Amino acid sequence: MFFSSQFVIFYSFVLTSINECINNNEIKCEYLSIGRDQSLITNEIQRHKRFVLFPEYKLWLNDWRYLNHPNKFIYWISNFYPNKIHSNYVQSYIHHIVNNINKFINNKISSIGQATSIDKANFHYNFFNYEICPTDDSLSTTINVQSIESLIIYSRQVIKDNRYRAHGGILLNSINNSTISTMKFNIHHTFLIHQDFQYDPVEYKCNSDGSHCFMDLYAVMLHETLHGFGIEHTEKKLANKNFLAVMHLYASRIMCHDDIRAIRMVYGLSVKRINSIYDDTCRRDFPLNPLQKLINKCHRLIIFYIYRIGLSISFILFLLTIIYILLIKHYLHRNDYDQLSSPQSIRSQQTYDKIHKPAINAFLWHNDYLNN
């Protein structure tokens, strides 16, 4: 009896300890009526690239602790809606994205794998509906699903006004400055799955009021994963209007030149011109040196003046052609009139008419005819 009581007490203690461990990562939701993402002011910031992110309510533009450059990429997937996005696709996309990123950073990431427990992961991917807590949604799956942070829930109007579709960034531990990256995806929207990353078109379209969008899952995951490394959006005011980059809100499955430069900066690698070999699809060259600027300027001037000279010559030739046609027409008309009005022409015409004057024949009876 005493042994049984001890066993019951020990068993209860074990269950309590397990529940406490689980409750540390239990599903928690935070309801907000105002969007935490604030407008970004960069007047005082002079940087080629911005690194920041979480917490969402503050942008740590000058705090370089908000970088995550792990040697081992260990991820955790918190998918509350596997019926909409299967976790196997998410897992394969993560491996494909990180393997491509690893090529650009000289294989600084030694391994990529899924964490055995949520506390061992340094990149967290959360799929939930921004409008409703998973514990309150009958369509969600909460069994064996854990989250490293509280899920922020907004009203539909706030989500619409702020265009909250996906987020990515860094959580900073204030005690030891360790970083954890979290990526969030609003499952209210439709994320499209593709198998052929090279030839399947990248789709990103929304309805007229922007309340519902159809987005390429791979492209969105790539964008948010780069946020997870600490890379912010590229500035909107750019000299090159044709500039393309994943972090310039360009839906693409391929990292562009500016994205590659940013991820190399995160890992402390050089960003020299030679790195442009990695980017041949959405290319953007590094700033030109003085000689290249001079050559580029001369090339533009030559093209400009050739165009102007060619256009001027064409216009002049057109005018000369019109003048020539008018002169020829006027000259020939004048010669014909002069020839017809001269005395010699009149006498020649009279002689010709007299010689070729037609005879008037009048046939009579018995084959007789009268010549007039």
Side-chain angles (χ1 to χ4, degrees):
M1 187 71 172
F2 176 73
F3 176 78
S4 299
S5 301
Q6 283 185 328
F7 176 78
V8 170
I9 294 172
F10 176 75
Y11 182 71
S12 300
F13 174 77
V14 171
L15 287 179
T16 303
S17 301
I18 293 174
N19 288 331
E20 287 180 356
C21 293
I22 293 176
N23 289 335
N24 288 334
N25 296 308
E26 68 180 358
I27 302 170
K28 298 177 182 179
C29 294
E30 182 179 357
Y31 297 85
L32 298 178
S33 58
I34 301 176
R36 280 188 175 179
D37 286 339
Q38 305 297 324
S39 60
L40 182 60
I41 302 174
T42 58
N43 296 334
E44 300 178 358
I45 304 302
Q46 300 296 330
R47 264 210 214 144
H48 295 291
K49 203 70 180 175
R50 303 197 298 272
F51 305 90
V52 289
L53 274 178
F54 282 169
E56 291 176 349
Y57 55 84
K58 188 171 182 180
L59 294 168
W60 304 92
L61 292 180
N62 293 316
D63 195 338
W64 292 90
R65 296 176 300 170
Y66 283 84
L67 294 178
N68 194 1
H69 39 76
N71 295 324
K72 294 183 179 180
F73 191 97
I74 306 173
Y75 62 89
W76 183 267
I77 302 173
S78 301
N79 187 2
F80 294 95
Y81 294 87
N83 56 330
K84 292 188 176 182
I85 298 178
H86 201 282
S87 297
N88 289 341
Y89 286 112
V90 177
Q91 185 176 3
S92 64
Y93 282 13
I94 292 173
H95 282 263
H96 195 275
I97 289 171
V98 179
N99 279 323
N100 284 338
I101 291 175
N102 207 18
K103 297 177 184 178
F104 305 139
I105 57 176
N106 303 344
N107 297 314
K108 289 289 186 178
I109 300 175
S110 59
S111 62
I112 307 168
Q114 191 167 9
T116 55
S117 61
I118 192 171
D119 57 308
K120 294 182 179 180
N122 48 30
F123 274 73
H124 295 259
Y125 293 82
N126 302 318
F127 294 84
F128 66 100
N129 192 334
Y130 283 23
E131 299 179 14
I132 183 172
C133 185
T135 57
D136 299 330
D137 190 358
S138 60
L139 300 177
S140 68
T141 300
T142 58
I143 300 176
N144 297 327
V145 181
Q146 297 175 305
S147 177
I148 196 67
E149 62 172 340
S150 296
L151 305 177
I152 302 176
I153 306 300
Y154 297 105
S155 66
R156 179 169 296 186
Q157 190 62 41
V158 172
I159 295 173
K160 176 184 174 182
D161 294 341
N162 293 276
R163 300 176 62 190
Y164 284 171
R165 299 162 189 170
H167 289 84
I170 294 173
L171 293 171
L172 183 65
N173 189 329
S174 59
I175 299 176
N176 57 8
N177 288 334
S178 61
T179 54
I180 295 178
S181 298
T182 60
M183 283 62 64
K184 305 184 298 184
F185 303 85
N186 186 1
I187 208 68
H188 164 75
H189 300 282
T190 302
F191 291 93
L192 305 175
I193 305 294
H194 292 285
Q195 297 291 338
D196 194 331
F197 303 140
Q198 184 174 0
Y199 293 105
D200 286 344
V202 178
E203 299 179 60
Y204 196 117
K205 56 185 179 181
C206 303
N207 55 13
S208 57
D209 62 353
S211 59
H212 187 84
C213 298
F214 296 84
M215 299 174 286
D216 185 275
L217 177 62
Y218 188 98
V220 177
M221 286 184 61
L222 172 60
H223 181 98
E224 304 307 333
T225 300
L226 292 176
H227 274 320
F229 284 98
I231 304 173
E232 243 293 351
H233 293 150
T234 303
E235 294 182 6
K236 295 181 179 180
K237 295 181 180 180
L238 299 171
N240 185 1
K241 295 181 180 180
N242 298 321
F243 171 78
L244 298 177
V246 173
M247 302 312 290
H248 191 50
L249 306 180
Y250 169 60
S252 173
R253 303 190 192 105
I254 302 173
M255 292 175 63
C256 300
H257 200 79
D258 202 60
D259 308 313
I260 297 169
R261 179 173 62 176
I263 192 64
R264 289 181 66 86
M265 289 178 65
V266 170
Y267 277 86
L269 299 173
S270 63
V271 289
K272 295 181 180 179
R273 255 183 105 76
I274 191 173
N275 298 325
S276 63
I277 62 175
Y278 297 121
D279 171 37
D280 55 5
T281 302
C282 39
R283 185 183 180 93
R284 182 202 184 200
D285 290 332
F286 287 112
L288 303 177
N289 58 41
L291 179 60
Q292 291 170 330
K293 289 182 179 179
L294 179 62
I295 294 175
N296 191 30
K297 185 177 181 179
C298 293
H299 175 74
R300 291 183 178 180
L301 289 175
I302 291 173
I303 296 299
F304 175 73
Y305 284 110
I306 288 178
Y307 173 77
R308 290 191 63 180
I309 292 172
L311 185 62
S312 300
I313 291 175
S314 300
F315 183 71
I316 292 173
L317 290 176
F318 173 76
L319 290 179
L320 292 176
T321 302
I322 297 298
I323 294 173
Y324 174 77
I325 293 173
L326 293 176
L327 290 175
I328 292 297
K329 186 176 181 181
H330 179 74
Y331 178 75
L332 292 176
H333 179 74
R334 182 70 180 178
N335 284 344
D336 293 341
Y337 178 79
D338 292 343
Q339 290 177 1
L340 291 175
S341 60
S342 63
Q344 184 177 359
S345 300
I346 295 173
R347 287 195 298 269
S348 299
Q349 185 66 31
Q350 291 176 348
T351 304
Y352 177 83
D353 293 341
K354 186 176 182 179
I355 295 174
H356 295 85
K357 184 178 181 180
I360 299 176
N361 298 324
F363 290 92
L364 302 177
W365 298 108
H366 306 292
N367 294 332
D368 292 332
Y369 61 91
L370 175 66
N371 290 326
N372 187 12

